[in-house]
Amino acid sequence: MTLVEKGSTFFFFYLLYVQIAGWSSLVARRAHNPEVAGSNPAPATNPLTGSKGKPSMKLSKITLTFVLTTLLMNCTNNDEALMEQANELAQKFIITDGHIDTPWRMHKGGYEDISVRTPGGDFDYVRAKQGGLDVPFMSIYVPASYQVTGGAKDKADELIGIVERVTTDHPDKFEIAHSVSDAERIVAEGKIALPMGMENGAPLEGDLSNLKYFRKRGISYITLTHAEDNDICDSSYNLGERTHNGLSEFGVEVVKKMNRIGIMVDISHVSDEAFYQVMDVTEVPAIATHSSCRHFTPGWERNMSDDMIKRLAENGGVIQINFASYFVDQPSKDSKGPIDADVSKYVADNNIDPQDYAAYDSYRKEQYDKRFLYVDAARVVDHIDHVVDLVGIDYVGFGSDFDGVGYTLPTDLKGPEGFPIIIYHLLKRGYSEEDIEKICYKNIWRVWQATEDFAKDFCDCGKPKGECGGGMCSN
């Protein structure tokens, strides 16, 4: 919005200024010009007009000072009121975040007590409560390296165990949510619900029966792949020859069975070809748990194109906007590559194990602090605007990627305490409370519930209940 955009606060005061200036000019001309009706050919001396009857500099300054002072006071008061409303709405609505990498953070750096405010990391109980985050999906992230070394399933189990430990250590604050009804009950009890999503389908290890296994362990969505092609589909990060040109035959069966046992299909990280093939296969809406709009990062396949967002909306799905600066802004993304290259060189030059994150984290942070181009929360809201402009209010949500994008979060969005700032920008742009409630949780919960409802007609082995003795099979 420009300062003089019609309907803006400034526009009102701009018109006021124009009216005052015009009135002053008319008075001056009437006082000095015989041709103007009602004029006085012998005007009395007016300290606010010059010798030729024109508004003096003093009058102009007084008028301008009045208008600008009133404008600034009004804007300040309006901003404060909107921020107060944003804080209230953050506590009123059930905020759901599609992707938070706290389990991997604790895997890397050691287990932490996240029931208190932690010195590092992005997520903890205190900051979540402060910002109104009620239902953060914990990411069970398994790197693509485990597709080569083996052990992907064991690594997923280990990370699930971290989430379970958090809930066991702090049962008054956290509880794992296996379903929409679980999440609703947990939030009503004043706790934070922790549903889980598995980032990378590698832990299935080529065995469809592992879908049932992970569903029982609490997995509510699976991101089909990550940084490399796997046996399910191709990755958006693979810039070379694609393994499957989309979904593999196994991947098709994975998507079908995920539908039937109630696991949401996450298409973040997949190649464009894989995305469109998922849309053709899935019988329920899909989600993109932590992606943004390619419109702002042209050519970057990790984000979704306008056509993909439209197809996802036709499917009934939801894109949950990633908050990282380089996901939402091209100049920021451009600044990231050289920093990462220098960090990699530093690691190699100093014979540091790349997995020993603590050994080079201070250098990495120093480089980001000096050289990275950060955005603020308004840029994240630009992406929400873009989705809404394309397909409407029902297909967008939050997918922060807290604890998963390093030192790249926006300046005013470093953790869940920042959710009211996003809501503030939404209010400032004219979103209604009903709209904001949909973005906060209703959109993604609609997909979550639809996935559960579809699965009710199937046994947890993935077969129709009529073929499995009413769903009591042992498969």
Side-chain angles (χ1 to χ4, degrees):
M1 178 179 289
T2 62
L3 284 178
V4 293
E5 182 176 342
K6 187 175 181 181
S8 70
T9 303
F10 189 89
F11 183 75
F12 169 78
F13 286 102
Y14 172 74
L15 291 179
L16 178 61
Y17 173 74
V18 170
Q19 290 293 326
I20 293 173
W23 172 81
S24 300
S25 178
L26 178 61
V27 169
R29 287 187 293 115
R30 283 180 173 179
H32 201 72
N33 189 345
E35 296 182 3
V36 177
S39 65
N40 182 355
T45 301
N46 188 333
L48 297 182
T49 60
S51 60
K52 295 185 179 179
K54 296 180 180 179
S56 69
M57 183 65 71
K58 184 175 182 180
L59 174 59
S60 298
K61 286 183 177 179
I62 290 173
T63 304
L64 183 59
T65 300
F66 168 77
V67 171
L68 292 179
T69 300
T70 308
L71 172 62
L72 290 172
M73 290 176 61
N74 183 275
C75 288
T76 300
N77 292 339
N78 189 51
D79 284 350
E80 289 175 353
L82 286 178
M83 196 66 236
E84 181 178 353
Q85 184 183 2
N87 280 306
E88 291 172 356
L89 295 181
Q91 299 302 322
K92 177 182 177 181
F93 298 148
I94 300 173
I95 297 179
T96 299
D97 188 322
H99 191 92
I100 293 183
D101 276 301
T102 306
W104 185 253
R105 160 187 150 195
M106 290 199 277
H107 169 72
K108 289 194 306 179
Y111 184 79
E112 299 175 69
D113 178 4
I114 60 169
S115 71
V116 298
R117 189 172 185 109
T118 56
D122 305 330
F123 173 84
D124 58 51
Y125 179 84
V126 176
R127 282 178 281 184
K129 281 293 185 181
Q130 179 183 343
L133 176 58
D134 304 291
V135 186
F137 274 80
M138 293 287 104
S139 172
I140 306 304
Y141 163 57
V142 177
S145 59
Y146 287 91
Q147 297 163 199
V148 178
T149 63
K153 184 181 178 185
D154 290 341
K155 183 56 61 177
D157 278 329
E158 179 185 341
L159 293 164
I160 292 171
I162 291 174
V163 180
E164 290 173 338
R165 181 178 172 185
V166 168
T167 62
T168 300
D169 288 351
H170 312 287
D172 59 326
K173 293 182 172 66
F174 300 104
E175 183 179 339
I176 292 173
H178 294 253
S179 63
V180 172
S181 59
D182 275 357
E184 193 167 22
R185 172 187 56 79
I186 293 165
V187 172
E189 293 173 358
K191 297 183 287 187
I192 292 178
L194 300 180
M196 292 183 287
M198 191 159 72
E199 188 177 21
N200 195 352
L204 299 180
E205 296 184 340
D207 186 349
L208 284 174
S209 68
N210 279 328
L211 283 168
K212 175 182 175 181
Y213 171 82
F214 282 114
R215 183 71 189 101
K216 288 185 176 295
R217 292 229 58 191
I219 295 299
S220 293
Y221 74 71
I222 295 177
T223 313
L224 298 181
T225 190
H226 192 255
E228 301 286 349
D229 299 353
N230 61 15
D231 56 4
I232 297 172
C233 68
D234 298 328
S235 168
S236 61
Y237 281 121
N238 177 6
L239 302 181
E241 184 177 353
R242 299 285 167 85
T243 305
H244 311 290
N245 292 317
L247 281 173
S248 67
E249 291 184 9
F250 175 67
V252 170
E253 295 306 312
V254 166
V255 171
K256 288 180 178 179
K257 189 164 183 179
M258 287 174 67
N259 288 172
R260 294 183 176 193
I261 65 175
I263 298 178
M264 290 182 283
V265 179
D266 177 20
I267 55 78
S268 288
H269 284 285
V270 309
S271 68
D272 287 5
E273 295 87 351
F275 164 79
Y276 286 109
Q277 290 168 25
V278 168
M279 292 297 98
D280 290 339
V281 172
T282 184
E283 297 180 78
V284 295
I287 53 177
T289 60
H290 56 303
S291 295
S292 298
C293 303
R294 198 179 300 173
H295 172 82
F296 298 90
T297 56
W300 193 33
E301 195 170 346
R302 176 62 181 82
N303 277 340
M304 296 186 71
S305 70
D306 287 0
D307 186 73
M308 293 167 75
I309 293 169
K310 290 176 182 177
R311 182 67 185 276
L312 184 68
E314 290 170 4
N315 162 263
V318 173
I319 174 174
Q320 296 175 275
I321 300 300
N322 192 308
F323 294 175
S325 294
Y326 70 97
F327 268 77
V328 298
D329 186 72
Q330 185 63 47
S332 177
K333 184 177 182 297
D334 291 341
S335 74
K336 183 176 184 294
I339 298 172
D340 290 344
D342 287 350
V343 171
S344 295
K345 183 176 185 301
Y346 176 86
V347 169
D349 290 347
N350 290 275
N351 297 315
I352 299 172
D353 180 355
Q355 301 301 313
D356 185 4
Y357 303 103
Y360 59 93
D361 187 62
S362 59
Y363 177 81
R364 185 166 178 259
K365 183 178 186 302
E366 177 186 3
Q367 295 305 306
Y368 271 88
D369 288 346
K370 289 180 179 178
R371 301 161 57 189
F372 187 67
L373 297 179
Y374 291 93
V375 300
D376 61 21
R379 193 57 164 166
V380 175
V381 179
D382 288 343
H383 285 247
I384 295 174
D385 278 347
H386 188 70
V387 176
V388 173
D389 288 344
L390 280 175
V391 295
I393 194 65
D394 296 314
Y395 310 102
V396 65
F398 301 135
S400 68
D401 217 346
F402 288 142
D403 283 326
V405 289
Y407 298 113
T408 69
L409 289 166
T411 54
D412 52 356
L413 202 50
K414 297 298 186 183
E417 70 274 18
F419 277 108
I421 298 172
I422 296 179
I423 295 174
Y424 159 80
H425 284 290
L426 292 170
L427 289 168
K428 196 168 185 178
R429 299 185 190 195
Y431 286 81
S432 68
E433 291 193 9
E434 181 183 1
D435 292 338
I436 293 170
E437 188 175 20
K438 287 183 175 183
I439 296 168
C440 283
Y441 81 101
K442 282 194 169 181
N443 289 342
I444 187 60
W445 280 34
R446 169 180 54 78
V447 177
W448 195 2
Q449 188 64 62
T451 304
E452 291 182 17
D453 290 346
F454 184 84
K456 289 177 181 177
D457 292 332
F458 298 88
C459 172
D460 61 6
C461 73
K463 295 179 181 179
K465 285 184 176 179
E467 298 178 13
C468 291
M472 302 300 293
C473 77
S474 58
N475 292 333

